[in-house]
Amino acid sequence: MKTIDLKDYELSGGGKLGESYIKKDDPDILLKLYSTDLEKMGLDEYEKACKVYNLGLPCPEPGQLVRTADNRVGIQFKRIHGKLSYARALSIHPERMEQYAREFAEICKKLHSTTPPPGLFPTFKDQSRQYIMENPFLTDEERNGILRFIDSQPDADTALHGDLHIGNVIFDEQGQKYLIDLSEFSTGSPMFDLGIIYLQCCFIPNEVEMELYHITKDVSVPFWNLFIKNYIGPDTDVEEFNKQILPYALLRILCVEKMMGYPVPPIRPAVHKLLGIK
Protein backbone atom coordinates (compact mmCIF):
# COMPACT_ATOMS: atom_id res chain seq x y z
CA MET A 1 0.00 0.00 0.00
CA LYS A 2 1.46 3.34 -1.07
CA THR A 3 2.23 5.95 1.62
CA ILE A 4 1.26 9.51 0.70
CA ASP A 5 2.06 12.96 2.07
CA LEU A 6 -1.08 14.95 2.93
CA LYS A 7 0.84 18.14 2.07
CA ASP A 8 0.25 17.15 -1.55
CA TYR A 9 -3.53 17.36 -1.01
CA GLU A 10 -5.99 20.15 -0.23
CA LEU A 11 -8.83 19.52 2.22
CA SER A 12 -12.21 19.74 0.48
CA GLY A 13 -14.66 18.39 3.06
CA GLY A 14 -15.11 16.44 6.25
CA GLY A 15 -17.57 14.58 8.41
CA LYS A 16 -17.93 12.03 11.19
CA LEU A 17 -16.34 9.23 9.18
CA GLY A 18 -13.34 11.08 7.78
CA GLU A 19 -12.23 13.73 5.32
CA SER A 20 -11.92 14.29 1.60
CA TYR A 21 -9.02 15.94 -0.22
CA ILE A 22 -8.17 16.99 -3.77
CA LYS A 23 -4.66 16.29 -5.08
CA LYS A 24 -2.96 19.65 -5.68
CA ASP A 25 -1.06 18.64 -8.84
CA ASP A 26 -3.90 16.51 -10.22
CA PRO A 27 -7.39 17.90 -9.43
CA ASP A 28 -8.96 14.85 -11.09
CA ILE A 29 -7.98 12.78 -8.02
CA LEU A 30 -10.16 12.83 -4.91
CA LEU A 31 -8.80 11.25 -1.72
CA LYS A 32 -11.31 9.83 0.74
CA LEU A 33 -9.49 9.50 4.06
CA TYR A 34 -10.96 7.51 6.93
CA SER A 35 -10.71 8.11 10.65
CA THR A 36 -8.16 5.88 12.40
CA ASP A 37 -10.84 3.75 14.08
CA LEU A 38 -12.65 3.14 10.78
CA GLU A 39 -9.87 1.39 8.89
CA LYS A 40 -12.01 -1.71 8.31
CA MET A 41 -14.73 0.42 6.74
CA GLY A 42 -12.15 1.94 4.40
CA LEU A 43 -10.78 -1.44 3.39
CA ASP A 44 -14.32 -2.78 2.89
CA GLU A 45 -15.26 0.20 0.75
CA TYR A 46 -12.20 -0.12 -1.45
CA GLU A 47 -12.85 -3.82 -2.08
CA LYS A 48 -16.53 -3.29 -2.78
CA ALA A 49 -16.07 -0.11 -4.84
CA CYS A 50 -13.74 -2.00 -7.18
CA LYS A 51 -16.27 -4.81 -7.55
CA VAL A 52 -19.22 -2.44 -8.06
CA TYR A 53 -17.28 -0.46 -10.68
CA ASN A 54 -16.30 -3.65 -12.51
CA LEU A 55 -19.97 -4.73 -12.52
CA GLY A 56 -20.72 -1.64 -14.58
CA LEU A 57 -22.87 0.05 -11.98
CA PRO A 58 -22.45 3.84 -11.87
CA CYS A 59 -19.96 4.79 -9.17
CA PRO A 60 -16.78 6.91 -9.05
CA GLU A 61 -13.81 4.99 -10.47
CA PRO A 62 -11.60 3.76 -7.62
CA GLY A 63 -7.85 4.20 -7.93
CA GLN A 64 -5.20 3.30 -5.37
CA LEU A 65 -5.59 2.29 -1.76
CA VAL A 66 -3.17 4.50 0.21
CA ARG A 67 -1.99 5.21 3.74
CA THR A 68 -0.88 8.49 5.33
CA ALA A 69 2.16 9.04 7.53
CA ASP A 70 -0.14 9.01 10.60
CA ASN A 71 -1.38 5.56 9.51
CA ARG A 72 -4.83 6.44 8.19
CA VAL A 73 -6.27 4.50 5.27
CA GLY A 74 -7.53 6.35 2.22
CA ILE A 75 -8.93 5.64 -1.23
CA GLN A 76 -8.08 7.65 -4.31
CA PHE A 77 -11.10 8.06 -6.60
CA LYS A 78 -11.50 9.71 -9.97
CA ARG A 79 -13.04 13.02 -8.97
CA ILE A 80 -16.60 13.82 -10.04
CA HIS A 81 -16.50 17.52 -10.91
CA GLY A 82 -19.45 19.72 -9.97
CA LYS A 83 -21.09 16.94 -7.99
CA LEU A 84 -24.25 17.36 -5.94
CA SER A 85 -25.96 14.79 -3.79
CA TYR A 86 -29.72 14.55 -4.09
CA ALA A 87 -29.89 15.73 -0.48
CA ARG A 88 -27.94 18.89 -1.25
CA ALA A 89 -29.80 19.43 -4.54
CA LEU A 90 -33.17 19.24 -2.76
CA SER A 91 -32.00 21.78 -0.20
CA ILE A 92 -31.03 24.20 -2.98
CA HIS A 93 -33.88 23.53 -5.41
CA PRO A 94 -36.91 22.08 -3.57
CA GLU A 95 -39.05 23.19 -6.53
CA ARG A 96 -37.36 20.43 -8.58
CA MET A 97 -38.59 17.72 -6.22
CA GLU A 98 -40.58 15.84 -8.88
CA GLN A 99 -37.56 15.70 -11.19
CA TYR A 100 -35.22 14.57 -8.41
CA ALA A 101 -37.67 11.91 -7.17
CA ARG A 102 -37.95 10.51 -10.70
CA GLU A 103 -34.17 10.48 -11.21
CA PHE A 104 -33.48 8.96 -7.79
CA ALA A 105 -36.05 6.23 -8.50
CA GLU A 106 -34.37 5.52 -11.85
CA ILE A 107 -30.95 4.81 -10.34
CA CYS A 108 -32.50 2.77 -7.52
CA LYS A 109 -34.35 0.62 -10.06
CA LYS A 110 -31.13 0.23 -12.09
CA LEU A 111 -29.34 -0.93 -8.94
CA HIS A 112 -32.13 -3.31 -7.96
CA SER A 113 -32.33 -4.83 -11.44
CA THR A 114 -28.67 -5.92 -11.18
CA THR A 115 -27.73 -9.46 -10.14
CA PRO A 116 -24.06 -9.82 -9.14
CA PRO A 117 -22.30 -13.18 -9.54
CA PRO A 118 -23.05 -15.50 -6.60
CA GLY A 119 -20.77 -14.91 -3.62
CA LEU A 120 -19.27 -11.64 -4.92
CA PHE A 121 -20.87 -9.67 -2.08
CA PRO A 122 -22.12 -10.68 1.37
CA THR A 123 -25.86 -10.93 1.88
CA PHE A 124 -27.66 -8.12 3.64
CA LYS A 125 -29.21 -10.69 5.95
CA ASP A 126 -25.77 -11.88 7.07
CA GLN A 127 -24.54 -8.31 7.55
CA SER A 128 -27.64 -7.48 9.58
CA ARG A 129 -27.29 -10.58 11.75
CA GLN A 130 -23.74 -9.52 12.62
CA TYR A 131 -24.83 -5.97 13.54
CA ILE A 132 -27.65 -7.30 15.72
CA MET A 133 -25.38 -9.82 17.46
CA GLU A 134 -22.86 -7.04 18.21
CA ASN A 135 -25.43 -4.48 19.39
CA PRO A 136 -24.88 -4.17 23.18
CA PHE A 137 -28.06 -2.16 23.72
CA LEU A 138 -30.50 -4.98 22.92
CA THR A 139 -32.09 -7.29 25.46
CA ASP A 140 -31.94 -11.02 24.69
CA GLU A 141 -35.66 -10.96 23.87
CA GLU A 142 -35.21 -8.05 21.43
CA ARG A 143 -32.12 -9.62 19.84
CA ASN A 144 -33.75 -13.01 19.37
CA GLY A 145 -36.91 -11.43 17.97
CA ILE A 146 -35.11 -9.28 15.41
CA LEU A 147 -32.93 -12.23 14.37
CA ARG A 148 -36.11 -14.21 13.72
CA PHE A 149 -37.41 -11.31 11.61
CA ILE A 150 -34.19 -11.30 9.56
CA ASP A 151 -34.33 -15.06 9.08
CA SER A 152 -37.96 -14.84 7.96
CA GLN A 153 -37.07 -12.62 4.99
CA PRO A 154 -36.79 -14.27 1.57
CA ASP A 155 -33.33 -14.80 0.15
CA ALA A 156 -32.62 -12.77 -2.98
CA ASP A 157 -29.61 -12.14 -5.22
CA THR A 158 -30.48 -8.51 -6.02
CA ALA A 159 -27.72 -5.90 -5.70
CA LEU A 160 -28.22 -3.65 -2.67
CA HIS A 161 -26.38 -0.49 -1.70
CA GLY A 162 -26.75 -1.28 2.00
CA ASP A 163 -26.85 2.38 3.08
CA LEU A 164 -29.08 3.84 0.40
CA HIS A 165 -30.35 7.37 1.00
CA ILE A 166 -30.41 10.70 -0.83
CA GLY A 167 -26.98 11.66 0.50
CA ASN A 168 -25.35 8.60 -1.07
CA VAL A 169 -26.36 9.23 -4.67
CA ILE A 170 -24.70 12.13 -6.48
CA PHE A 171 -24.90 13.59 -9.98
CA ASP A 172 -22.44 15.66 -12.00
CA GLU A 173 -22.76 18.70 -14.24
CA GLN A 174 -23.99 16.52 -17.13
CA GLY A 175 -26.60 14.80 -14.97
CA GLN A 176 -24.72 11.49 -14.76
CA LYS A 177 -25.64 9.74 -11.50
CA TYR A 178 -23.28 7.82 -9.21
CA LEU A 179 -23.60 5.60 -6.13
CA ILE A 180 -21.12 6.50 -3.38
CA ASP A 181 -20.16 5.19 0.10
CA LEU A 182 -20.20 1.53 -0.88
CA SER A 183 -18.77 -0.15 2.25
CA GLU A 184 -22.07 -1.96 2.97
CA PHE A 185 -22.85 -3.10 -0.56
CA SER A 186 -24.54 -6.50 -0.46
CA THR A 187 -27.30 -8.62 -1.96
CA GLY A 188 -30.85 -9.29 -0.84
CA SER A 189 -34.42 -8.04 -1.01
CA PRO A 190 -34.78 -4.43 -2.21
CA MET A 191 -37.07 -3.90 0.79
CA PHE A 192 -33.93 -3.56 2.92
CA ASP A 193 -32.67 -0.64 0.81
CA LEU A 194 -36.12 0.94 0.59
CA GLY A 195 -36.41 0.74 4.37
CA ILE A 196 -33.26 2.83 4.71
CA ILE A 197 -34.66 5.50 2.36
CA TYR A 198 -37.93 5.52 4.31
CA LEU A 199 -35.98 5.86 7.57
CA GLN A 200 -34.11 8.87 6.20
CA CYS A 201 -37.10 10.59 4.63
CA CYS A 202 -39.93 9.89 7.05
CA PHE A 203 -38.77 8.46 10.37
CA ILE A 204 -35.76 10.31 11.77
CA PRO A 205 -36.46 13.55 13.71
CA ASN A 206 -36.64 16.81 11.82
CA GLU A 207 -33.49 18.21 13.45
CA VAL A 208 -31.48 15.12 12.49
CA GLU A 209 -32.82 15.35 8.93
CA MET A 210 -31.61 18.93 8.76
CA GLU A 211 -28.19 18.16 10.25
CA LEU A 212 -27.43 15.18 8.04
CA TYR A 213 -29.32 15.92 4.82
CA HIS A 214 -29.84 19.70 4.83
CA ILE A 215 -33.62 19.47 4.43
CA THR A 216 -36.66 19.30 6.70
CA LYS A 217 -39.61 16.94 6.85
CA ASP A 218 -41.78 19.27 4.76
CA VAL A 219 -39.41 18.41 1.90
CA SER A 220 -38.30 14.85 2.66
CA VAL A 221 -41.77 13.34 3.24
CA PRO A 222 -43.28 14.62 -0.04
CA PHE A 223 -40.07 13.52 -1.77
CA TRP A 224 -40.56 9.98 -0.40
CA ASN A 225 -44.18 9.94 -1.61
CA LEU A 226 -43.10 10.94 -5.11
CA PHE A 227 -40.11 8.60 -5.10
CA ILE A 228 -42.07 5.50 -4.14
CA LYS A 229 -44.72 6.19 -6.80
CA ASN A 230 -41.92 6.47 -9.38
CA TYR A 231 -40.20 3.36 -8.05
CA ILE A 232 -43.25 1.08 -7.75
CA GLY A 233 -45.97 2.73 -9.81
CA PRO A 234 -48.23 5.81 -9.85
CA ASP A 235 -51.17 3.96 -8.28
CA THR A 236 -49.17 2.85 -5.22
CA ASP A 237 -50.96 3.33 -1.91
CA VAL A 238 -48.09 5.07 -0.13
CA GLU A 239 -49.71 4.94 3.29
CA GLU A 240 -50.16 1.18 3.04
CA PHE A 241 -46.62 0.72 1.71
CA ASN A 242 -45.28 2.74 4.64
CA LYS A 243 -46.75 0.15 7.00
CA GLN A 244 -45.00 -2.62 5.09
CA ILE A 245 -41.63 -0.87 5.01
CA LEU A 246 -41.53 0.30 8.65
CA PRO A 247 -40.00 -2.95 10.03
CA TYR A 248 -37.06 -2.58 7.65
CA ALA A 249 -36.46 0.99 8.84
CA LEU A 250 -36.51 -0.21 12.46
CA LEU A 251 -34.05 -2.97 11.58
CA ARG A 252 -31.65 -0.39 10.14
CA ILE A 253 -31.73 1.69 13.33
CA LEU A 254 -31.00 -1.36 15.46
CA CYS A 255 -28.15 -2.35 13.15
CA VAL A 256 -26.38 0.99 13.43
CA GLU A 257 -26.84 1.57 17.18
CA LYS A 258 -23.48 -0.08 17.86
CA MET A 259 -21.82 2.08 15.19
CA MET A 260 -23.33 5.22 16.73
CA GLY A 261 -22.31 4.12 20.23
CA TYR A 262 -25.65 4.83 21.88
CA PRO A 263 -29.15 3.31 21.91
CA VAL A 264 -32.25 4.92 20.38
CA PRO A 265 -34.91 4.34 23.11
CA PRO A 266 -37.81 6.12 21.30
CA ILE A 267 -38.02 3.32 18.73
CA ARG A 268 -38.34 0.52 21.30
CA PRO A 269 -42.18 0.64 21.52
CA ALA A 270 -42.43 0.19 17.75
CA VAL A 271 -39.85 -2.62 17.86
CA HIS A 272 -41.73 -4.36 20.65
CA LYS A 273 -45.01 -4.06 18.74
CA LEU A 274 -43.34 -5.55 15.65
CA LEU A 275 -41.89 -8.45 17.64
CA GLY A 276 -44.93 -9.04 19.85
CA ILE A 277 -42.99 -8.21 23.01
CA LYS A 278 -45.20 -7.13 25.92
Side-chain angles (χ1 to χ4, degrees):
M1 191 184 304
K2 179 181 177 182
T3 300
I4 61 168
D5 189 341
L6 267 186
K7 292 180 182 178
D8 297 331
Y9 295 78
E10 183 176 353
L11 183 67
S12 63
K16 294 180 180 179
L17 302 183
E19 302 159 332
S20 58
Y21 295 80
I22 296 170
K23 201 167 191 299
K24 292 178 181 178
D25 64 357
D26 188 350
D28 288 333
I29 293 179
L30 175 75
L31 171 66
K32 183 175 181 180
L33 191 61
Y34 288 83
S35 303
T36 306
D37 58 336
L38 295 176
E39 177 165 321
K40 184 180 184 304
M41 180 182 289
L43 296 174
D44 285 347
E45 174 155 19
Y46 181 70
E47 178 187 356
K48 291 181 178 179
C50 291
K51 291 177 178 178
V52 172
Y53 182 80
N54 289 333
L55 272 179
L57 283 169
C59 67
E61 181 179 355
Q64 287 186 298
L65 186 66
V66 299
R67 193 177 291 278
T68 61
D70 62 354
N71 211 34
R72 285 187 287 169
V73 164
I75 306 171
Q76 292 179 337
F77 287 99
K78 183 176 181 180
R79 183 182 171 199
I80 308 300
H81 291 271
K83 70 176 178 66
L84 273 182
S85 70
Y86 277 96
R88 182 64 74 180
L90 270 172
S91 73
I92 299 170
H93 295 293
E95 74 279 3
R96 299 181 186 174
M97 184 185 299
E98 290 190 19
Q99 171 194 339
Y100 293 151
R102 182 177 65 253
E103 292 175 356
F104 189 70
E106 286 171 358
I107 193 168
C108 290
K109 287 193 287 188
K110 178 178 177 64
L111 169 67
H112 295 154
S113 64
T114 300
T115 303
L120 188 64
F121 298 101
T123 70
F124 192 92
K125 289 172 67 173
D126 283 345
Q127 288 189 163
S128 298
R129 286 189 195 98
Q130 182 176 348
Y131 283 131
I132 294 303
M133 291 301 296
E134 294 176 350
N135 183 336
F137 308 114
L138 295 172
T139 67
D140 288 343
E141 189 175 17
E142 290 168 344
R143 181 175 289 104
N144 291 335
I146 203 69
L147 288 173
R148 285 194 298 272
F149 171 75
I150 294 170
D151 290 340
S152 73
Q153 300 306 301
D155 294 322
D157 53 9
T158 303
L160 300 181
H161 182 282
D163 189 21
L164 189 60
H165 54 71
I166 59 174
N168 276 345
V169 180
I170 62 174
F171 59 90
D172 64 15
E173 295 163 331
Q174 288 74 45
Q176 176 66 45
K177 297 177 279 292
Y178 304 86
L179 302 164
I180 62 170
D181 292 354
L182 301 171
S183 64
E184 297 190 66
F185 205 90
S186 58
T187 58
S189 166
M191 292 292 280
F192 292 118
D193 264 354
L194 296 176
I196 297 169
I197 304 171
Y198 175 73
L199 168 64
Q200 175 260 303
C201 286
C202 302
F203 203 77
I204 62 174
N206 194 64
E207 61 272 16
V208 177
E209 185 86 51
M210 188 65 191
E211 177 186 358
L212 296 180
Y213 305 106
H214 325 295
I215 56 176
T216 54
K217 282 289 178 281
D218 61 347
V219 174
S220 63
V221 173
F223 176 84
W224 163 261
N225 295 342
L226 289 167
F227 160 75
I228 210 64
K229 284 178 175 288
N230 276 278
Y231 182 93
I232 299 177
D235 297 328
T236 302
D237 185 332
V238 177
E239 185 175 346
E240 183 59 34
F241 186 77
N242 289 350
K243 296 175 184 176
Q244 298 174 32
I245 205 66
L246 175 60
Y248 301 89
L250 295 173
L251 171 63
R252 181 58 179 170
I253 300 174
L254 295 175
C255 283
V256 301
E257 280 187 332
K258 178 180 181 293
M259 188 187 307
M260 296 186 299
Y262 56 85
V264 186
I267 71 162
R268 286 309 190 272
V271 172
H272 291 178
K273 182 177 180 181
L274 169 67
L275 300 178
I277 296 174
K278 299 295 185 180

